[in-house]
Amino acid sequence: MSLTSAPDSRPSGRAAPLAGRRTESPVVELNVGGEFYTTTLGTLRKFPGSKLAEMFSSPAKACLDAEGRFFIDRCGTYFGPILEYLRSGQLPTQHIPEVYREAQHYEIKPLIKHLEDTPQIFGEQVARKQFLLQVPGYSENLELMVRLARAEAVAARCSRVLVCLVRNEKEDANCADALRSLEANKRSVVKFGPWKAALDISDLLDCLNMDIKARGYQVCYSHNSPLPAKVSDYFYTFSFSWW
């Protein structure tokens, strides 16, 4: 398959596929995940080093759909803003996180840089994610919370997960007896910390709440620990609602 295919030699009674009519035309038709676009090779090759430039510079990188359009197996909904940026340099104003993800896939570095300067991406990538990197085992503990909630969801409208948050070694030591007691009573607890970042407990709680909801779960948290007052400040209950 070539971007400059030879003229179609089939009987004239059958329509030639689009690829056969591209012999010397810079215009290309695209099928991106079922969404159709028309553009030029120059637009697609605008940024050397991007996946699009590579795809449409090397015949081995391109494939066709049944109608002869160049096929890209990605969500086509957010390809429009990508294409508009390649054409005119216009930055998207909607669906910024989704377009950012597609820009990363296509490795369009100037667009990635522009999007990383937007409040949505800057706040997520630079502020929040860098903050969470300072919390040891954050992702693993988040997965554990979800698994525990699902395990307790049998024949129940809600399930609750107890979480312990300790900011430093002193708080960790204060909670040691309470954690041992809970373990002895076979009560599961997901423990976060200690951590080195200068963050407030409420920041971490909001991150957990946000990331669990982003997975489609209905969840809320409260500070109603049944533990003694001297350690209750370190424990929170996350309630998952199933119906």
Side-chain angles (χ1 to χ4, degrees), residues 16-225:
L18 296 175
R21 299 200 295 270
R22 289 195 183 101
T23 305
E24 295 181 354
S25 173
V27 177
V28 292
E29 295 187 17
L30 305 175
N31 175 352
V32 186
E35 301 281 342
F36 305 117
Y37 297 92
T38 302
T39 187
T40 66
L41 289 174
T43 295
L44 296 169
R45 295 170 178 168
K46 184 171 183 177
F47 295 109
S50 71
K51 280 188 178 180
L52 285 175
E54 181 183 2
M55 184 184 305
F56 289 95
S57 297
S58 172
K61 298 294 183 180
C63 65
L64 305 179
D65 69 6
E67 300 299 322
R69 291 176 287 250
F70 289 108
F71 179 72
I72 300 175
D73 193 16
R74 295 290 294 180
C75 176
T77 303
Y78 308 113
F79 187 77
I82 297 284
L83 188 57
E84 195 57 44
Y85 177 78
L86 295 177
R87 286 170 172 159
S88 64
Q90 179 178 325
L91 294 173
T93 57
Q94 297 180 324
H95 308 296
I96 301 297
E98 293 82 3
V99 177
Y100 177 69
R101 183 178 62 241
E102 294 304 297
Q104 288 181 306
H105 171 77
Y106 294 117
E107 298 179 3
I108 305 172
K109 294 181 180 179
L111 178 55
I112 292 171
K113 177 63 171 64
H114 281 302
L115 293 176
E116 285 178 344
D117 287 337
T118 63
Q120 300 97 314
I121 303 302
F122 180 88
E124 176 65 20
Q125 299 295 325
V126 178
R128 197 174 83 90
K129 284 196 173 179
Q130 291 302 313
F131 155 72
L132 290 176
L133 287 175
Q134 305 302 312
V135 181
Y138 177 83
S139 297
E140 294 82 357
N141 282 339
L142 184 70
E143 293 288 347
L144 178 57
M145 289 178 64
V146 172
R147 289 201 303 271
L148 289 173
R150 292 174 67 92
E152 295 182 9
V154 179
R157 184 168 188 173
C158 296
S159 54
R160 295 174 176 84
V161 177
L162 189 61
V163 172
C164 176
L165 306 178
V166 291
R167 292 169 293 189
N168 51 52
E169 299 295 340
K170 180 180 179 180
E171 293 181 352
D172 194 19
N174 290 341
C175 290
D177 288 341
L179 288 169
R180 282 193 290 268
S181 175
L182 289 165
E183 183 180 359
N185 290 315
K186 301 187 183 304
R187 178 73 187 273
S188 297
V189 183
V190 182
K191 177 173 165 287
F192 290 83
W195 56 76
K196 296 181 180 180
L199 69 153
D200 192 78
I201 291 291
S202 62
D203 296 329
L204 184 54
L205 289 168
D206 287 343
C207 285
L208 289 168
N209 191 50
M210 181 187 307
D211 288 335
I212 293 172
K213 285 182 176 178
R215 299 177 178 218
Y217 294 98
Q218 296 183 54
V219 68
C220 63
Y221 64 86
S222 58
H223 191 193
N224 57 352
S225 170

